[in-house]
Amino acid sequence: MAEDNQKTNAPQDQQLGKSATVIIPKSYEEFMQLFQPKTSVNKAWPSLVGLTAEEAEKKIKEEMAEVYVSVVPPSYAITFDLRSNRVWLFVDSSGKVVQTPVIG
């Protein structure tokens, strides 16, 4: 019975530990930066337009080995989720890159 009379703290009443950090982004861009790889210098490769998919993938991997490169043939559907470790390579029927590859 004495245990029933003890007050328990609800989660919202508990204080955060001293090591906890709360980050509140001020803009959408700031929010998205939280999910971008810290080593990323290049986020777009306009110079790869016109190269074959294999050549473009090789150049991207030289700069950022940790990204996943996905080749997208003409008229294929893709997902629109954002991923900081993926690069879409949109190619034409001959396998040449037709759009600037970007992270996302």
Side-chain angles (χ1 to χ4, degrees), residues 6-76:
Q6 290 180 349
K7 181 181 178 186
T8 59
N9 288 336
Q12 66 272 17
D13 293 339
Q14 296 174 354
Q15 293 183 357
L16 293 174
K18 290 185 179 184
S19 63
T21 302
V22 178
I23 299 173
I24 301 174
K26 295 180 181 143
S27 66
Y28 177 76
E29 290 79 21
E30 201 173 299
F31 173 76
M32 291 309 296
Q33 286 176 358
L34 296 173
F35 301 101
Q36 296 295 325
K38 301 300 181 209
T39 59
S40 175
V41 174
N42 203 0
K43 295 180 183 177
W45 292 266
S47 63
L48 301 183
V49 174
L51 297 179
T52 65
E54 294 81 19
E55 293 171 326
E57 182 174 0
K58 183 179 175 187
K59 290 187 183 250
I60 292 169
K61 291 281 192 173
E62 285 174 0
E63 286 186 38
M64 298 180 67
E66 71 275 4
V67 298
Y68 174 75
V69 178
S70 184
V71 178
V72 182
S75 71
Y76 268 53

Side-chain angles (χ1 to χ4, degrees), residues 71-91:
V71 178
V72 182
S75 71
Y76 268 53
I78 62 166
T79 61
F80 287 99
D81 59 326
L82 293 174
R83 292 182 48 195
S84 61
N85 65 341
R86 177 182 58 207
V87 176
W88 295 111
L89 286 180
F90 294 94
V91 297

